Each structure stands twice: as structure tokens, then as C-alpha cells.
Amino acid sequence: MIKELQSRHEIIAAFPIMKQLRAHLDESTYLDLVEDAQEQDRYKLFALFEANEMVAVIGFKPMITLYYGRFVWVCDLVTDMNKRSNGYGEKLLTYVHQWAEENKYESVALSSGLQRTDAHRFYKDRMGYDRVSYVFKNSLGGE
């Protein structure tokens, strides 16, 4: 079962899994960021449940840019480290593809850390993604 996480309780319940991808976040910062992103940036957080246990989460937001047009940006995708290689990531990403099509978005895009070679293989070989750009970041304020 795939379910959108909207209440504070549901969002907090996803933190132990999300922390496996976003290790730099504590629970309070995570909750603040998710709530702000939901309110200001149309961020959506979904979880996949297997036998009533949360096993994977995905966060995404619909966007419009001149480069991609109308698209969905996948911000976060993580399967619990003890539940990997069961197709959960594929199920969640396929769900987002369907959500995007139903809501008249033209594509789905994401970025992946340079060191995540297994994830890159998954996106390219299993999910049919093309590598179309590099993502650059400039941390402001000396960070």
C-alpha cells in the first residue's frame, strides 16, 4: 500500500527511514523542513507499506521550469536499509510516474549523489532515466 503522509505523526513516523538518506538532519529540523516544503513548495511525501510496516519513502514536488517544462522533481527516495532489493524503490518511483501523468506533467527528474553508483544503475538501467546534466551547488554563508 502507498499512502501520502500529511499529519505530523505520519511525517515523524517516516523519519527513521528518511534519516538513512538524510543523515545530517535531526527529527526537529526534518519536521520543520517537510512542513515548510509542503506549505510553500507543494512537496508531497509518500510511504510504501508492506504488511502494515513502512518500508520506503519518497518525497517529490511538481514544478515548472523553462528547461524541463512541467515536471515532477523527486527530492528524496529511500528504502529502509534492512528491506532493500525487494523492488520497493521501483514501486514508489513508478507511483510518482503515474501521479505525474495523471496530473499532466511531462517528465520526472531527480539528482543523485556522485558516490551513489548503485542508485545510478537503478535509475538508468532499471527505471529508464537518462543522465541529462550535472547539478552544481554553492553553499551561501560560508557553509
Side-chain angles (χ1 to χ4, degrees):
M1 173 184 80
I2 295 174
K3 179 182 188 301
E4 185 169 8
L5 307 179
Q6 296 179 301
S7 72
R8 292 185 116 212
H9 176 75
E10 291 171 333
I11 294 165
I12 290 169
F15 179 70
I17 295 175
M18 187 66 79
K19 177 110 176 125
Q20 295 172 33
L21 178 66
R22 306 292 180 218
H24 64 286
L25 295 177
D26 60 40
E27 186 177 281
S28 175
T29 303
Y30 158 79
L31 180 61
D32 287 344
L33 288 171
V34 170
E35 289 180 331
D36 284 350
Q38 286 177 328
E39 182 180 314
Q40 298 177 28
D41 217 14
R42 300 191 302 161
Y43 179 83
K44 298 184 175 302
L45 185 62
F46 284 79
L48 175 64
F49 294 84
E50 187 74 32
N52 292 322
E53 178 186 5
M54 189 182 302
V55 296
V57 295
I58 193 165
F60 66 92
K61 57 186 177 177
M63 297 178 67
I64 301 170
T65 66
L66 297 179
Y67 180 65
Y68 287 123
R70 293 176 50 81
F71 72 104
V72 170
W73 181 259
V74 176
C75 306
D76 314 288
L77 172 59
V78 60
T79 298
D80 186 295
M81 67 177 65
N82 300 314
K83 305 289 184 175
R84 295 202 175 132
S85 299
N86 288 306
Y88 299 137
E90 183 174 355
K91 286 179 183 173
L92 278 176
L93 204 48
T94 298
Y95 180 85
V96 170
H97 292 177
Q98 292 167 345
W99 186 97
E101 284 186 38
E102 289 170 7
N103 289 278
K104 306 216 182 331
Y105 288 89
E106 300 161 357
S107 62
V108 175
L110 54 85
S111 69
S112 179
L114 295 172
Q115 76 285 3
R116 300 190 66 226
T117 55
D118 289 342
H120 303 165
R121 270 194 303 280
F122 167 72
Y123 295 130
K124 185 175 182 284
D125 299 341
R126 187 97 173 234
M127 298 304 299
Y129 279 67
D130 295 318
R131 189 178 347 199
V132 296
S133 67
Y134 287 99
V135 175
F136 293 91
K137 176 184 174 187
N138 185 325
S139 295
L140 305 175
E143 292 181 18

